[in-house]
Amino acid sequence: SFGLRMYDVIREIKSPIVDVHYDGFLKAYKGLYHTMVQPLEVFSAYHATLERISVRWVDITQHFVNPDASTPVFPRVHTLVMRACRVLERSMLVQAFPNLRVLELTRMNRDFLTIPGGAWDDERIYGKNRNDPLVWTSLDHVHGDVNTVWMLALRCPVGRLDLVFNKGDNLIVKQH
């Protein structure tokens, strides 16, 4: 879990990390601490060895990720699980995890989200991703709630798609 010395502890680990489960939720005195950490920075020292990343309550948006060449790429990561995270741009995931095979995204967290250019609603996020040419060539398995998967506008072939309907999902799925 996220704590005041978490960055120091991770930096001190000398052996290669292959699989990581990280919970960025921090309960503060008399309330919740709503600052979400950016996992690409936290795990950048292990970009060459990580194969599976499971995170909760983290931020991976363009606003927090430096899009220049210094942004870490995790070429060996084949499985990414994100729960209650902020993820707006599919391109950020494709850039950071180009060889991804399994993607799980549930309960995208837009609470407390302030990004230059105004509010980010579902339609705006979907429109940005739909028009973005950066995609994976294919994914073996995608698991996620309906709204989050829809907002990412996946355009690549998916071997298996598992959709979860959460209370409040406002998308109507039609069978063709």
Side-chain angles (χ1 to χ4, degrees):
S1 288
F2 180 72
L4 298 175
R5 302 231 18 223
M6 187 265 316
Y7 290 106
D8 296 331
V9 170
I10 290 174
R11 270 188 229 121
E12 293 300 318
I13 297 173
K14 301 301 180 203
S15 62
I17 297 176
V18 175
D19 190 337
V20 66
H21 300 273
Y22 173 76
D23 189 336
F25 187 79
L26 178 64
K27 192 158 182 132
Y29 177 71
K30 292 187 178 181
L32 300 177
Y33 183 66
H34 296 298
T35 300
M36 301 174 87
V37 301
Q38 209 285 63
L40 299 184
E41 287 178 14
V42 174
F43 300 116
S44 63
Y46 307 100
H47 72 276
T49 59
L50 278 169
E51 295 178 3
R52 185 178 191 286
I53 298 176
S54 177
V55 291
R56 177 178 165 249
W57 200 262
V58 299
D59 200 324
I60 185 166
T61 59
Q62 180 91 24
H63 182 65
F64 292 92
V65 178
N66 184 356
D68 67 16
S70 67
T71 299
V73 174
F74 298 81
R76 294 184 61 174
V77 170
H78 54 76
T79 301
L80 176 64
V81 177
M82 298 182 78
R83 294 185 179 104
C85 296
R86 281 191 200 136
V87 56
L88 299 180
E89 293 102 353
R90 179 190 62 236
S91 62
M92 297 295 4
L93 295 176
V94 175
Q95 287 172 359
F97 309 106
N99 299 310
L100 199 65
R101 305 305 314 147
V102 176
L103 175 63
E104 180 178 331
L105 294 163
T106 53
R107 290 307 221 175
M108 185 180 83
N109 188 329
R110 291 182 315 279
D111 296 341
F112 316 103
L113 185 57
T114 54
I115 289 183
W120 284 82
D121 61 14
D122 297 358
E123 292 285 335
R124 186 172 176 199
I125 296 167
Y126 172 78
K128 178 170 182 14
N129 288 321
R130 183 189 65 226
N131 296 323
D132 192 324
L134 193 57
V135 296
W136 291 286
T137 54
S138 68
L139 292 169
D140 294 336
H141 185 196
V142 174
H143 173 93
D145 63 78
V146 173
N147 278 357
T148 302
V149 171
W150 176 77
M151 284 184 278
L152 285 180
L154 297 175
R155 295 189 334 214
C156 64
V158 174
R160 176 180 171 174
L161 175 62
D162 296 329
L163 293 176
V164 177
F165 289 87
N166 293 315
K167 182 179 179 182
D169 282 346
N170 57 11
L171 198 67
I172 298 173
V173 177
K174 296 181 181 178
Q175 186 175 13
H176 295 280

